[in-house]
Amino acid sequence: MPSKTVAFFMLEIVVLGVFAIGLIGSVAFWLQGSAGGRRLPFWDKAWHVLGRVKLIFHGATLREFLLDWLLQRRLLAAGRLRWLMHICFFWSFIILFFVGSVGLMLAERGLLPITKDDPWFAFVNDFAGAMALFAVAIALYRRFILKENVVKTFAEDIVLVVLLAVIVLSGYALESARLIAHQAPGHVARYSFVGYPLSLALRGASLDWWGAESAIWWVHVVGGMSFVAYLPYSKMFHLIATPFALAANTVEARKREYVTQQRHKDTERPRNVVLDG
Amino acid sequence: MPSNNFTIKQLIELDACSKCYECVRWCQAYEERKDDLVAPALRLRAFRAMLKAERGLPLLRRLLGGRKPDGDELKAMAEGAYRCTLCARCAAACPNKIDLRELWLSIRQELAERGLHPNGLNLARDAVRKQRNVVNYPNEERALWVDYMMEAPEDAYQRDRAEVVYYVGCVGSFSPAVQSIPEAFVQFLTRTGADFTILGAREWCCGFPLLVAGMRQEMEVLKRHNVEVVREVGAKTMVFTCPSCYNTWLNEYSVELPGVELLHSTQYVEKLLREGKIRLGELGQKITYHDPCDLGRNSGVFEPPRAVLRSIPGAEFVEIEYNRARGLCCGGGGDLEISDPQLAGAEASSTLAAFEATGADVIVTACQQCKRSLQTAKEKKGSKIRVTDLVELALQVLED
C-alpha cells in the first residue's frame, strides 16, 4: 500500500475518533436532561427520544420542519443578506462534504461510479466552493464592515473562517494543479469553471505540478479533516444539533395547537358532562 | 446528581445555538445595558459552558465545556439571567426556533436552587407564602377596590356560584394605579349581563411571579387552592385581565380544569362582539395597540384585541412598526422591577417613545403591568399620550 494512502488512512482514523468522542460526549450530555420533567433510566430516556422523533414524520409537521431546516425560512425573515450567507454556507457544506469528500472517497474505493472529470462532479464541486467563498465574503463584510448584530468575535469564529477559506482555496488550487499535471484537455476541464481558468493562468509557471498537486492535496485534506475533527467542539456543532431542536419544537408547537383545539371542543360539551367527566 | 431542571430538548437547544446574534438584535435589555451577560446568545453560551463542565461524561467535561465558573463569575451570570423581562422577543427571532423563554425559566430555576437569585425575590416568595399575594398585603383586602366604586352591589361582586369567574390577579387587586382596570371590567360584565363573580379573599396568587423567579415548586399549594375554588363556584368560563395570570392558568392549571374555558378579557370582549351581543360606539381618536408579552408572544393572542379596536366606529387604528411577535416590551415582566427597576424603567421609556412616534392619541394595552409601566414612563416624561386598557376603552364606548 502506498505510504500516502497509509498516512491518509491513519489521519482519517484519528479524525473520526476525535469527532466520535465529541459527538458521544455531547449526546451523553443531552441525555442527562429530563424526559418531559421526569427522571428516567438511560435506556428509557433513549426510548422517549425515539418516541418523540417519530412524531415529526407527519404531513404538515414534516413539511414545516423541512422548510425551516433546508430552506431556513426563519432566517429569511431576519434579513436577506444573512439568509443568503447562511444558505450558501449550509448547502456548500452539505455538497462539499457529501459529494466532494465522502462521494469521492467511496468512488476511490470503487463503491461509486464517479471520476473527478465527470462534468457534473466538476461543476457541482466548483459551484459549492464558490458558494462557500461567497458566504465567507458576506460573513466578513457583515462582521467587520457593517458590524451588524455582532456582539463579540471569539477565537473560534476566526479559526472557522480561516479553516473554511483554506479548504475552499486549496480545493481550487488542487483542481488547477491536477488539471495541469494531468494535461486535461479543455473540453474535459471546462466544467471546473473556477479550477480550469486558474489552471490556464498558472500553467506557464515552471513548477513540478505532480509534486505541487500532492502538496496541495495534503493542505486540502488536513484543512478538511481539521474542520471535521473540530466540529463537535465548536459552534459548528449546531449543524448536528439544530435539526433535532427544530424538529422537537415543531412537534411541540403542533401539539400545543392540537391541545388548544381539543380544549375548545371540550368547552362545547354540556356542562354536567364536563364536570362529571 | 445533576438537577432535573433541563429537559433533553433544552440541552440539545444549548448546542443548537449558532451564535448568529439575531436574538441580541431584538433584546431590549441588551439595547439599554450593552452588557454581555444580558445578551441572550452570550448568556446561553456562558450557561452552556457551565452545564457542560458539570454534566456529561467526566473525561470529556473539560474538553467540551471548559471550566466551571468561579463564585464571582456565577454571580455575574445570575445577575444577567435576572436582568430580563422574559418577553421572549429573542425566542420569536431565533432562526433555529430555540425556545429561549423556557430555557431562561429553567436557568432561573437552577440558579434559585443554588441560592443565586436576587434577594428581593425572597421577599416576594415569603409574601406569597404568608399572605397568598405577591404584594404582602392581607389577602382579605383583595377586593377592597370594590369598596371605592361608585355603584358597587352589596355582594361586592362575590357570589357563591356563577357561570363566569373573573380572576383579578395580585397587581390589579392591590395596585391603586391600575385598579381602574378591574373596576371597568366588572362594570362591563354587569352591563353585558354576565353571570359572574370575583373570588375576593378566596383568590390566591396564581404563582406566576414565583414561576419566573425560578421557584416553580412554590406553585403547587396555590394551584391546588385556586382550582378547588373555581370548582366550588362551578364556573364554565374564567376571564383574566392579567395576561400573566392567563398564561399561567393556560399552561399550568388548565389540565386540572377540563371543560372550563379560559379567556383573556380581550378574547371575551371580542367574542361578545363577534356574536353580536354588544355594540361599540364612536371614538374620534387615533389609537394604537401594545401587545403584552404574556398575551401575544407567550400565549398567541394577537388578533382579538385588534378586532375589537378596529370595530370602534370613528377610531383610526394604527400599528406600531414592531408589533405582534416582534412587539416591544414595557419592561414590567419577568420580575425585572424587583431585580433591576432602573432597567425596567429604561425599557418602558424606549417603548413609550416608539409608541409616541406613531402619532396616536391613545396607547391601548391589555395588561395592568404594561399600563402601569407605560403610565409611569409617560408621567416621568410629561407625554400627552393616553395609556389605557382595552376593557376600559370598551366600557367607555359600550352602547346600551
Side-chain angles (χ1 to χ4, degrees):
Chain A
M1 196 185 280
S3 59
K4 182 179 164 185
T5 312
V6 173
F8 177 74
F9 182 67
M10 290 182 63
L11 182 66
E12 205 176 15
I13 295 289
V14 171
V15 164
L16 289 178
V18 174
F19 178 85
I21 289 169
L23 185 64
I24 290 166
S26 289
V27 173
F29 171 70
W30 296 350
L31 289 175
Q32 294 240 328
S34 68
R38 289 168 298 157
R39 272 188 206 280
L40 292 176
F42 179 84
W43 288 111
D44 289 352
K45 271 188 199 171
W47 194 243
H48 167 86
V49 171
L50 287 176
R52 289 298 175 99
V53 166
K54 75 172 188 214
L55 294 175
I56 197 70
F57 298 103
H58 188 273
T61 316
L62 184 63
R63 192 173 61 241
E64 189 181 332
F65 162 67
L66 290 177
L67 287 172
D68 283 340
W69 180 33
L70 301 178
L71 296 183
Q72 295 156 17
R73 293 180 306 176
R74 288 172 66 88
L75 203 55
L76 187 58
R80 284 183 200 160
L81 190 63
R82 67 182 323 172
W83 175 80
L84 187 62
M85 180 197 80
H86 200 267
I87 205 87
C88 285
F89 263 137
F90 178 76
W91 280 106
S92 65
F93 180 84
I94 299 284
I95 294 168
L96 290 172
F97 182 74
F98 288 104
V99 179
S101 302
V102 178
L104 197 61
M105 270 195 262
L106 293 175
E108 282 170 356
R109 285 165 174 80
L111 297 169
L112 279 179
I114 303 172
T115 71
K116 289 175 189 169
D117 288 328
D118 284 347
W120 75 268
F121 185 81
F123 178 83
V124 163
N125 277 297
D126 267 31
F127 185 73
M131 271 164 66
L133 278 186
F134 184 53
V136 169
I138 300 176
L140 293 173
Y141 174 69
R142 288 185 57 235
R143 190 167 286 260
F144 297 109
I145 296 171
L146 288 184
K147 295 188 174 159
E148 189 188 62
N149 276 11
V150 177
V151 179
K152 240 180 173 174
T153 299
F154 292 97
E156 73 167 322
D157 301 321
I158 307 291
V159 170
L160 287 167
V161 169
V162 168
L163 268 179
L164 275 170
V166 166
I167 295 165
V168 177
L169 294 176
S170 65
Y172 283 134
L174 176 62
E175 178 68 349
S176 306
R178 186 186 71 84
L179 293 174
I180 299 170
H182 293 256
Q183 296 181 342
H187 71 275
V188 173
R190 66 184 174 185
Y191 295 100
S192 298
F193 62 91
V194 179
Y196 179 53
L198 197 61
S199 74
L200 293 179
L202 296 173
R203 144 168 326 190
S206 55
L207 265 181
D208 167 12
W209 286 105
W210 286 93
E213 185 196 357
S214 178
I216 300 168
W217 183 83
W218 275 113
V219 173
H220 188 63
V221 163
V222 170
M225 293 288 195
S226 305
F227 186 85
V228 172
Y230 187 42
L231 195 141
Y233 309 93
S234 72
K235 70 174 185 180
M236 290 306 286
F237 192 56
H238 79 270
L239 267 169
I240 291 169
T242 296
F244 289 103
L246 263 179
N249 283 323
T250 306
V251 167
E252 278 204 1
R254 290 270 163 193
K255 212 171 103 187
R256 268 198 300 272
E257 252 170 55
Y258 175 76
V259 170
T260 310
Q261 281 167 6
Q262 287 303 110
R263 254 197 93 70
H264 185 67
K265 274 187 198 163
D266 278 352
T267 54
E268 308 276 301
R269 291 158 62 197
R271 188 178 168 201
N272 58 342
V273 176
V274 172
L275 293 178
D276 294 341
Chain B
M1 185 183 272
S3 70
N4 210 23
N5 295 327
F6 296 89
T7 62
I8 296 171
K9 182 187 81 114
Q10 289 182 312
L11 296 181
I12 295 175
E13 285 179 320
L14 292 175
D15 279 333
C17 174
S18 60
K19 283 91 187 168
C20 70
Y21 300 121
E22 187 62 19
C23 51
V24 180
R25 186 174 145 205
W26 295 93
C27 177
Q28 285 176 259
Y30 180 77
E31 185 61 31
E32 297 295 337
R33 280 289 156 91
K34 303 287 181 207
D35 175 356
D36 282 357
L37 285 172
V38 172
L42 296 178
R43 224 191 301 165
L44 206 66
R45 184 188 164 95
F47 280 102
R48 175 182 177 269
M50 181 189 95
L51 293 172
K52 286 216 163 185
E54 292 176 352
R55 295 164 177 239
L57 299 177
L59 280 173
L60 292 173
R61 282 180 195 161
R62 286 294 297 272
L63 204 59
L64 290 167
R67 61 177 184 81
K68 287 184 191 176
D70 62 29
D72 287 341
E73 285 168 325
L74 204 52
K75 212 174 139 202
M77 282 161 66
E79 278 173 19
Y82 282 96
R83 278 201 187 114
C84 167
T85 56
L86 299 172
C87 72
R89 275 185 114 204
C90 51
C94 177
N96 289 348
K97 239 184 196 172
I98 297 175
D99 192 345
L100 286 160
R101 184 174 183 271
E102 281 301 311
L103 266 171
W104 306 141
L105 287 174
S106 295
I107 284 171
R108 286 186 177 195
Q109 188 76 25
E110 184 79 20
L111 291 167
E113 280 175 17
R114 296 177 189 210
L116 289 162
H117 54 290
N119 194 40
L121 296 177
N122 286 335
L123 301 177
R125 179 201 59 204
D126 294 344
V128 174
R129 275 183 186 167
K130 195 175 157 208
Q131 307 283 10
R132 303 307 185 193
N133 63 68
V134 76
V135 292
N136 206 19
Y137 286 175
N139 211 44
E140 293 69 36
E141 294 177 10
R142 204 174 254 276
L144 203 60
W145 53 272
V146 179
D147 292 352
Y148 296 97
M149 290 178 67
M150 299 290 279
E151 291 169 9
E154 261 184 37
D155 63 5
Y157 304 110
Q158 295 180 55
R159 289 115 195 189
D160 292 336
R161 294 193 65 85
E163 294 275 306
V164 178
V165 163
Y166 167 34
Y167 185 93
V168 184
C170 297
V171 179
S173 298
F174 293 105
S175 175
V178 289
Q179 279 170 350
S180 56
I181 298 173
E183 284 175 19
F185 197 51
V186 290
Q187 289 178 67
F188 180 89
L189 289 168
T190 306
R191 281 181 60 188
T192 52
D195 170 19
F196 78 99
T197 182
I198 59 168
L199 300 173
R202 289 184 296 166
E203 178 183 307
W204 286 6
C205 172
C206 68
F208 178 83
L210 303 179
L211 181 75
V212 298
M215 301 168 182
R216 172 182 282 276
Q217 66 285 359
E218 299 280 337
M219 276 184 72
E220 273 314 304
V221 62
L222 307 171
K223 196 162 124 182
R224 270 203 306 275
H225 169 84
N226 284 326
V227 165
E228 196 47 48
V229 171
V230 173
R231 279 188 186 142
E232 278 169 16
V233 171
K236 267 168 86 176
T237 304
M238 281 190 74
V239 196
F240 306 82
T241 41
C242 168
S244 305
C245 297
Y246 169 67
N247 182 273
T248 307
W249 278 77
L250 205 60
N251 293 319
E252 308 288 333
Y253 286 57
S254 58
V255 186
E256 310 287 334
L257 288 166
V260 177
E261 192 175 21
L262 306 178
L263 294 174
H264 184 260
S265 52
T266 55
Q267 293 171 303
Y268 186 83
V269 175
E270 189 268 341
K271 195 178 169 192
L272 294 184
L273 201 59
R274 188 165 23 92
E275 290 171 353
K277 292 180 178 163
I278 57 168
R279 280 193 317 141
L280 302 179
E282 287 278 329
L283 180 81
Q285 284 183 310
K286 195 171 176 181
I287 54 177
T288 184
Y289 178 68
H290 167 65
D291 286 286
C293 304
D294 284 329
L295 184 65
R297 260 188 301 273
N298 299 333
S299 303
V301 180
F302 294 113
E303 299 313 319
R306 288 178 165 80
V308 174
L309 296 177
R310 287 203 177 98
S311 71
I312 299 174
E316 185 192 344
F317 178 68
V318 286
E319 286 280 13
I320 187 172
E321 184 188 357
Y322 297 117
N323 58 66
R324 296 182 174 82
R326 300 289 165 104
L328 295 165
C329 175
C330 72
D335 293 337
L336 185 66
E337 277 189 329
I338 297 174
S339 48
D340 192 340
Q342 286 80 17
L343 179 57
E347 282 193 35
S349 299
S350 321
T351 300
L352 179 79
F355 275 107
E356 284 177 319
T358 62
D361 306 305
V362 187
I363 304 171
V364 183
T365 186
C367 166
Q368 75 296 324
Q369 190 69 2
C370 296
K371 184 184 171 185
R372 196 169 68 150
S373 302
L374 294 173
Q375 185 76 28
T376 308
K378 174 204 138 143
E379 281 159 14
K380 204 168 146 190
K381 194 180 174 187
S383 167
K384 289 212 171 85
I385 200 162
R386 183 180 146 215
V387 185
T388 192
D389 191 277
L390 186 133
V391 296
E392 294 175 283
L393 191 71
L395 180 70
Q396 184 193 326
V397 295
L398 184 66
E399 289 196 340
D400 289 318

